[in-house]
Amino acid sequence: MHPTSRRALVCTALALAGLPLGALAQDYPARAITIVVPFSAGGGVDTMARLLADRLRVSLKQSVVVDNKPGASGMLGAGAVAKAPPDGYTLLLGSAGETAINPLIYKEKMQYVPARDLAPITAVTRVPNVLVTHPNFPAKSVAELVAHAQKNPGKLTYATSGVGNPQHLNGELLQMLTGIKMQHVPYKGAANQLVDVAAGNVDITFVSLAGATPFIKGGRVKALAVTSARRAGFAPEIPAIAEFAPAAAYDLDNWFGLFAPAKTPPAVLDKLHAAVTAALREPELIKRLREQGGEPMPLSPAAFRQFMQTETAKYARIVEAAHIVNE
């Protein structure tokens, strides 16, 4: 490159660096956007992120890549986004765990504060878990499951993919509302917990419907109920736990939302919000999300923040009552 051209590029870069972020937002996006997924490839969050990225590439006319940063119960990836430049080029597709539940459990061990360090763009989807058992388990409904647990206090085992995540809280909430006692068996990932339930090594598990569907269709496990307040529109044949009268207040789903680093320019957040919510109204994306066990849940940033506060208060009651702590 000619020295004069090189100097011109350097001067241009320096000039841009001196501009306020609000001015730079007018040309957003001018380069590739990265959506960080704080979990391994192939899981529910990863699938949602890739479906969303496909739509945003078209609407924003820019490359959108998915970067998996698993570790520390989702906090590694979420923390990386919290510390990224607030320019709209590094986003987080986060779940309830690393944005609402983990602060209740890890507290001062957290390397970021979601409410302070992440700017909510919109909720993306709400995903109920499903309660499944081995086909030969002596219960065909939540009522029968509770009755069995009452006759065998402390003997029933329930598997989840880790301590303090929505699945764990699913089991604790069922115990709180019905008075039963179960043993928690945490795993590292849904695949192993489903395999062990199918083998009869663990009595029940709470897991995403997308993960459980191959096992259900193959007759390896049976579905007793979903964890949402009402039956899911994509699986109306599966009752809700809340249909069992003593657990009428049961309502605990997982959910995913898109976040940017705090102090990202409002114009950038507005453009991202418009693009994502428009995508969530597309029939094809709605269909694909429902195939993954989710229902689209576009919200304004303010409504999403309020939703998170309400959900966090619900989680806090469960965490406190169950004495869930980071060990």
Side-chain angles (χ1 to χ4, degrees):
M1 180 183 294
H2 192 277
T4 302
S5 300
R6 185 179 294 110
R7 282 196 299 272
L9 285 174
V10 171
C11 290
T12 301
L14 290 174
L16 287 174
L19 287 173
L21 285 173
L24 296 178
Q26 296 177 4
D27 297 323
Y28 177 86
R31 55 185 171 85
I33 298 169
T34 297
I35 298 178
V36 173
V37 171
F39 301 101
S40 300
V45 187
D46 178 68
T47 300
M48 301 284 182
R50 294 179 190 279
L51 290 173
L52 187 60
D54 287 342
R55 267 63 184 183
L56 294 182
R57 288 187 192 104
V58 176
S59 61
L60 295 176
K61 298 181 175 60
Q62 189 55 263
S63 176
V64 181
V65 298
V66 175
D67 182 15
N68 298 90
K69 290 185 180 296
S73 299
M75 294 184 288
L76 184 64
V81 175
K83 295 176 175 63
D87 54 14
Y89 290 100
T90 304
L91 309 176
L92 169 72
L93 187 65
S95 68
E98 64 277 5
T99 60
I101 300 174
N102 285 354
L104 302 171
I105 298 172
Y106 293 91
K107 299 181 180 179
E108 67 277 359
K109 296 179 182 179
M110 294 274 291
Q111 299 298 308
Y112 63 97
V113 178
R116 181 194 67 199
D117 300 329
L118 295 171
I121 297 171
T122 182
V124 173
T125 184
R126 192 165 187 163
V127 185
N129 284 319
V130 59
L131 167 58
V132 301
T133 71
H134 185 273
N136 295 331
F137 185 75
K140 297 180 180 179
S141 66
V142 174
E144 292 181 5
L145 172 69
V146 170
H148 178 78
Q150 288 172 336
K151 294 177 182 177
N152 301 275
K155 295 182 179 180
L156 196 69
T157 55
Y158 76 100
T160 74
S161 57
V163 173
N165 62 23
Q167 296 177 8
H168 184 188
L169 269 58
N170 281 143
E172 295 297 340
L173 182 58
L174 182 62
Q175 294 178 90
M176 287 171 56
L177 294 177
T178 62
I180 63 175
K181 298 296 181 183
M182 301 187 293
Q183 296 181 41
H184 180 216
V185 184
Y187 282 71
K188 293 183 178 180
N192 290 335
Q193 71 197 63
L194 275 166
V195 168
D196 269 9
V197 171
N201 298 327
V202 186
D203 293 317
I204 66 172
T205 189
F206 297 87
V207 69
S208 71
L209 186 60
T213 294
F215 285 77
I216 295 171
K217 289 184 176 180
R220 300 177 64 189
V221 300
K222 62 182 176 183
L224 297 189
V226 293
T227 64
S228 46
R230 293 172 294 278
R231 298 190 184 203
F234 48 81
E237 72 282 2
I238 304 177
I241 291 176
E243 293 178 30
F244 176 53
Y250 199 105
D251 179 17
L252 201 159
D253 298 339
N254 196 1
W255 45 263
F256 308 129
L258 195 66
F259 300 84
K263 299 183 181 179
T264 298
V268 171
L269 295 177
D270 290 344
K271 192 164 188 177
L272 285 166
H273 177 267
V276 175
T277 53
L280 292 174
R281 291 191 291 269
E282 295 178 11
E284 180 60 25
L285 182 56
I286 293 172
K287 175 185 175 184
R288 296 293 300 278
L289 291 175
R290 285 176 174 165
E291 288 173 353
Q292 296 300 315
E295 286 290 349
M297 190 175 66
L299 295 174
S300 70
F304 185 24
R305 190 180 294 276
Q306 180 59 54
F307 169 80
M308 289 178 62
Q309 292 172 351
T310 301
E311 290 289 283
T312 299
K314 176 169 63 179
Y315 301 146
R317 291 192 292 271
I318 301 171
V319 168
E320 181 178 0
H323 305 291
I324 301 174
V325 295
N326 170 242
E327 298 178 346

